[in-house]
């Protein structure tokens, strides 16, 4: 299977609402607690509407592509339709109509090469009514009697909730051999739009004069439980049978996981890197001939193309149609902050005989970042596929939806706050509450006893311009090594001011990597993506770092009493000094310069907030 992802640009809404904007930073008292390690608990799934969806990727074919048969789905006359014990008699359609379901319509239609003249669609969401088991099949057989090897190729677009996708092949129209596709698509995630998919069907069709092909969607109560069916949609176009090449190695995927548990973090602080990095890869012999002496070459380079690590790992011989896996723990040298590229390339003794070795390689990226710990790879990966989740994603969850991301701490750490990357549709005056949770509490659906939690934080126009909202913990939270969930609770005021957080689906993640808590039924659900909810580990982080009110300065810090504040902005400012619990201790108005006397305050850390018509600025000050 060949998967093509494209870059998507994050957009922000700079709408200026004429209402008072309030930034409250009072928080609960911090404690130093050890966390339970992450377990393999399975979470239920929740259906959502996507805010952003993958953009189309140009489909390119190998120059030696030998077409045996093809159909561009421009006519329903060359296909037949049916179902298997479907109580609602749900069927596929062929045409140009987009999905019409309440959820599937938000994902749009396939953007395949010939989408304008028609495509096959099973709109599971629109047909939603329980079990579904439907197929679309070639009306006449295909003659492959002269071909010892054949590959089925098609463009597709699929978004998963509970259904399964299959391609079935038959040489008599009665007995079918199934090939599952899209098994690696997570719940509430999509393939690329479109994705070029190839399946070696030689084992069934070699030298056969009558071959039928069908696409089958399957979701039944017996397999998927109550409420099955009601998936999103599966679309197929530009179907072809091409000749199988004798020598063709494909690098299906590469994996880099510093936890060794499958999470692929986009940003990792250097002091949280485990001593060894797990390198994994899957190689497929997609040719008709065996290949010998396989080797996977792993190369890690920095932004300047300097080699940081390089090693080859032998995988032995690989029979035609079989898979081989790399799974190695490797000690990397010390690395400075920055973005690193990792390439995985497979070769064999027969590599020189391959007509198209371009798919022998795949790439991954990660960043060493002393300030931020992030599962998502936004602004790290060269290309991102992003979706969004928020206040309109689930019925009854306009206020109180919590989006959580798992973080594994290899060493004790001080967390100064939690931030969330904002998606399309977020409005000024929406709000969040950020928190940290012990994994054991989350696994028990208990979000009422956080390790730390902020007060309500309003989203400002400056937050939208920056593309993120930040919540700070006062004082900072000291965490022992272990596993934790960082959480952002979304508040829209019954959808008066909607808010959405980005999901990075570029790299598949374990089901527990990101979770969602639905307040309507008080249940934690699996997400399966990398929600952009991040740990902030920089002691100087503040709202001013997000560009809300630039140019404000404060000194000396620490101070024994007098504190001078300067602002380059004309007009009236309000300055407030808050305690660790968020209580306003001192406040005053000033034009561009003010000196405050903090002599009467007890020694400790306080929060200073400067408000102006164009935004807010927040920073800590230590009183000695």
């Amino acid at each position: 299977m060949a998967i093509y992802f494209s870059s998507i640009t994050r957009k922000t809404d700079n709408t200026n609402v004429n209402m008072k904007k309030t930034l409250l930073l009072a928080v609960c008292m911090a404690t130093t607690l050890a966390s339970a390690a992450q377990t393999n608990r399975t979470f239920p799934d929740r259906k959502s509407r996507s805010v952003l969806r993958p953009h189309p990727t140009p489909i390119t074919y190998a120059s030696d592509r030998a077409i045996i048969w093809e159909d561009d789905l421009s006519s329903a006359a060359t296909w037949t339709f049916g179902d298997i014990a479907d109580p609602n008699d749900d069927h596929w359609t062929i045409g140009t109509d987009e999905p019409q379901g309440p959820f599937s319509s938000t994902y749009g239609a396939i953007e395949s090469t010939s989408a304008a003249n028609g495509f096959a669609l099973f709109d599971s969401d629109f047909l939603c009514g329980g079990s579904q088991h439907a197929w679309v099949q070639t009306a006449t057989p295909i003659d492959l009697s002269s071909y010892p090897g054949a590959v089925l190729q098609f463009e597709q677009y699929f978004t998963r909730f509970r259904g399964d996708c299959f391609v079935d092949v038959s040489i008599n129209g009665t007995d079918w051999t199934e090939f599952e596709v899209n098994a690696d698509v997570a719940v509430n995630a999509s393939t690329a739009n479109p994705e070029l998919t190839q399946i070696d069907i030689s084992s069934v069709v070699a030298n056969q004069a009558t071959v039928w092909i069908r696409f089958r969607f399957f979701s039944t109560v017996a397999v998927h439980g109550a409420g099955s069916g009601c998936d999103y949609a599966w679309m197929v176009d530009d179907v072809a049978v091409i000749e199988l090449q004798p020598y063709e190695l494909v690098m299906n995927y590469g994996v880099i996981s510093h936890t060794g548990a499958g999470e692929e973090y986009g940003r990792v602080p250097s002091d949280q890197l485990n001593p060894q990095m797990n390198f994994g890869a899957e190689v497929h012999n997609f040719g008709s001939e065996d290949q010998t002496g396989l080797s996977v070459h792993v190369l890690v380079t920095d932004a300047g193309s300097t080699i940081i690590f390089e090693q080859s790992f032998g995988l032995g011989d690989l029979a035609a149609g079989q898979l081989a896996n790399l799974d190695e723990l490797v000690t990397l040298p010390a690395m400075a902050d920055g973005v690193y590229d990792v390439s995985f390339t497979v070769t064999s003794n027969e590599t020189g005989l391959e007509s198209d070795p371009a798919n022998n390689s795949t790439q991954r990226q990660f960043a060493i970042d002393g300030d931020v710990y992030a599962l998502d790879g936004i602004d790290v990966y060269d290309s991102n596929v992003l979706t969004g989740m928020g206040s309109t994603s689930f019925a009854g969850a306009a206020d109180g939806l919590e989006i959580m991301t798992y973080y594994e701490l290899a060493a004790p750490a001080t967390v100064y706050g939690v931030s969330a990357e904002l998606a399309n549709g977020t409005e000024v005056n929406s709000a969040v509450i950020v928190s940290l949770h012990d994994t054991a509490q989350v696994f028990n659906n208990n979000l009422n006893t956080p390790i730390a939690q902020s007060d309500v934080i309003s989203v400002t126009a400056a937050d939208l311009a920056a593309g993120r909202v930040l919540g700070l913990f006062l004082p900072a939270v000291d965490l022992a090594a272990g596993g934790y969930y960082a959480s952002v609770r979304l508040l829209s005021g019954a959808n008066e001011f909607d808010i959405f957080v980005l999901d990075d689906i570029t790299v598949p993640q374990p089901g527990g990597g990101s979770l969602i808590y639905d307040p309507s039924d008080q249940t934690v659900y699996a997400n399966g993506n990398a929600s952009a909810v991040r740990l902030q580990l920089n002691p100087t982080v503040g709202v001013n770092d997000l560009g809300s009110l630039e140019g404000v300065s404060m000194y000396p810090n620490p101070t024994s009493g007098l504190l001078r504040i300067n602002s380059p902005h004309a007009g009236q400012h309000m300055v407030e000094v808050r305690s660790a619990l968020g209580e306003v201790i001192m406040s005053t108005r000033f034009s561009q310069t003010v000196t405050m006397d903090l002599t009467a305050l007890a020694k400790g850390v306080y929060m200073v907030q400067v408000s102006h018509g164009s935004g807010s600025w927040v920073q800590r000050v230590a009183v000695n």
Side-chain angles (χ1 to χ4, degrees):
M1 179 183 297
I3 300 176
Y4 298 87
F5 289 122
S6 61
S7 176
I8 190 167
T9 302
R10 172 180 48 196
K11 299 179 181 178
T12 55
D13 182 355
N14 292 310
T15 304
N16 187 5
V17 180
N18 292 321
M19 297 181 65
K20 184 177 180 180
K21 307 172 185 66
T22 304
L23 182 64
L24 302 177
L25 294 168
V27 297
C28 300
M29 294 181 64
T31 55
T32 303
L33 295 174
S35 172
Q38 188 180 25
T39 71
N40 292 322
R41 169 173 174 179
T42 300
F43 294 88
D45 301 317
R46 201 78 165 108
K47 201 170 185 181
S48 72
R49 298 174 176 87
S50 176
V51 181
L52 306 178
R53 64 183 179 86
H55 281 184
T57 302
I59 297 293
T60 58
Y61 300 98
S63 58
D64 60 350
R65 175 175 176 262
I67 301 173
I68 303 171
W69 170 92
E70 62 183 338
D71 190 299
D72 64 0
L73 279 299
S74 59
S75 172
T78 58
W79 298 82
T80 60
F81 308 84
D83 61 77
I84 302 173
D86 188 325
N88 302 301
D89 199 28
D90 295 329
H91 279 185
W92 286 72
T93 61
I94 289 180
T96 57
D97 290 339
E98 296 189 6
Q100 300 297 311
F103 292 91
S104 62
S105 60
T106 65
Y107 289 81
I110 189 171
E111 299 181 22
S112 52
T113 302
S114 67
N117 68 14
F119 52 87
L121 162 67
F122 187 77
D123 193 349
S124 174
D125 185 42
F126 177 73
L127 299 169
C128 183
S131 296
Q132 297 174 329
H133 200 173
W135 49 260
V136 56
Q137 173 187 322
T138 51
T140 57
I142 304 167
D143 184 0
L144 299 179
S145 57
S146 300
Y147 299 94
V151 173
L152 176 66
Q153 177 175 278
F154 56 94
E155 297 177 30
Q156 64 156 330
Y157 182 31
F158 172 65
T159 305
R160 178 188 298 282
F161 181 53
R162 286 197 174 123
D164 297 317
C165 302
F166 297 92
V167 168
D168 296 332
V169 181
S170 175
I171 59 174
N172 58 18
T174 302
D175 302 309
W176 297 89
T177 300
E178 70 176 31
F179 298 84
E180 185 172 5
V181 295
N182 302 324
D184 58 344
V185 177
V187 173
N188 293 323
S190 302
T191 65
N193 183 15
E195 175 180 309
L196 180 66
T197 303
Q198 295 179 325
I199 303 171
D200 182 359
I201 58 175
S202 304
S203 60
V204 180
V205 306
N207 301 115
Q208 297 296 318
T210 56
V211 174
W212 284 267
I213 294 167
R214 71 182 183 186
F215 297 90
R216 177 169 54 93
F217 176 85
F218 174 67
S219 184
T220 69
V221 172
V223 174
H224 298 280
S228 63
C230 305
D231 207 287
Y232 296 95
W234 187 20
M235 287 160 275
V236 174
D237 199 4
D238 299 311
V239 183
V241 176
I242 63 177
E243 191 171 6
L244 181 68
Q245 298 297 313
Y247 295 101
E248 179 71 12
L249 283 178
V250 178
M251 176 67 72
N252 282 346
Y253 60 77
V255 174
I256 51 172
S257 175
H258 85 101
T259 67
E263 299 95 356
E264 295 191 60
Y265 288 89
R267 299 171 185 265
V268 184
S270 58
D271 59 355
Q272 296 304 327
L273 273 174
N274 282 290
Q276 293 182 308
M277 179 79 79
N278 178 223
F279 287 149
E282 182 179 87
V283 178
H284 185 196
N285 184 351
F286 201 61
S288 60
E289 300 294 331
D290 296 348
Q291 298 220 30
T292 61
L294 271 69
S295 178
V296 174
H297 182 253
V298 180
L299 178 67
V300 181
T301 57
D302 63 14
S305 299
T306 300
I307 295 175
I308 304 300
F309 172 86
E310 184 174 18
Q311 187 171 338
S312 293
F313 303 91
L315 294 182
D317 301 337
L318 188 59
Q322 298 302 302
L323 301 173
N325 294 96
L326 172 72
D327 186 8
E328 295 286 344
L329 289 174
V330 175
T331 300
L332 297 178
M335 293 178 288
D337 285 5
V339 176
Y340 293 85
D341 295 293
V342 183
S343 67
F344 299 83
T345 302
V346 60
T347 58
S348 74
N349 294 333
E350 292 76 28
T351 295
L353 301 175
E354 290 193 53
S355 59
D356 182 22
N359 55 10
N360 289 25
S361 297
T362 191
Q363 284 74 40
R364 282 288 200 257
Q365 291 175 295
F366 69 96
I368 303 299
D369 189 329
D371 297 336
V372 179
Y373 201 174
L375 186 63
D376 69 271
I378 298 171
D379 299 327
V380 172
Y381 304 150
D382 287 338
S383 298
N384 287 99
V385 181
L386 306 177
T387 64
M389 185 179 299
S391 52
T392 66
S393 296
F394 310 105
D399 293 287
L401 180 72
E402 294 210 32
I403 301 175
M404 296 172 278
T405 299
Y406 176 75
Y407 290 99
E408 181 81 23
L409 297 182
T414 300
V415 177
Y416 296 90
V418 170
S419 65
E421 301 293 292
L422 300 173
N424 283 7
T426 300
E427 299 176 282
V428 168
N429 289 315
S430 58
V432 301
I433 298 173
V434 305
S435 55
L436 289 172
H437 296 276
D438 181 280
T439 54
Q441 299 297 322
V442 172
F443 295 161
N444 290 322
N445 282 325
N446 177 13
L447 301 187
N448 297 320
T449 56
I451 297 171
Q453 187 175 76
S454 74
D455 205 337
V456 177
I457 300 168
S458 296
V459 174
T460 68
D463 294 327
L464 291 186
R468 66 182 60 89
V469 62
L470 167 69
L472 300 175
F473 298 127
L474 301 176
V477 184
D478 293 323
L479 298 178
Y484 303 86
Y485 278 98
S487 172
V488 56
R489 183 184 304 169
L490 307 183
L491 306 171
S492 70
N495 297 122
E496 183 176 3
F497 306 106
D498 284 319
I499 180 170
F500 302 91
V501 173
L502 286 173
D503 258 3
D504 185 359
I505 65 173
T506 310
V507 175
Q509 301 287 353
S514 290
L515 303 174
I516 53 177
Y517 173 79
D518 189 336
S520 66
D521 59 8
Q522 300 181 355
T523 301
V524 174
Y525 292 92
N527 184 7
N529 304 327
S531 293
V533 178
R534 303 169 168 181
L535 292 183
Q536 296 290 334
L537 305 179
N538 185 342
T540 64
V541 69
V543 176
N544 56 303
D545 295 320
L546 302 182
S548 56
L549 189 62
E550 296 182 354
V552 177
S553 62
M554 177 180 72
Y555 61 92
N557 186 11
T559 179
S560 57
L562 296 181
L563 183 67
R564 184 178 179 87
I565 301 171
N566 294 325
S567 172
H569 303 278
Q572 286 292 305
H573 298 63
M574 168 66 77
V575 57
E576 296 176 330
V577 179
R578 295 177 180 267
S579 70
L581 296 179
E583 177 186 3
V584 177
I585 300 173
M586 300 177 63
S587 66
T588 188
R589 293 186 180 275
F590 69 100
S591 180
Q592 289 183 286
T593 300
V594 66
T595 299
M596 303 185 73
D597 189 353
L598 309 184
T599 306
L601 301 184
K603 293 182 179 180
V605 177
Y606 298 85
M607 183 64 70
V608 176
Q609 177 180 339
V610 176
S611 300
H612 183 266
S614 58
S616 296
W617 179 94
V618 179
Q619 189 58 270
R620 297 178 181 83
V621 62
V623 177
N624 293 334

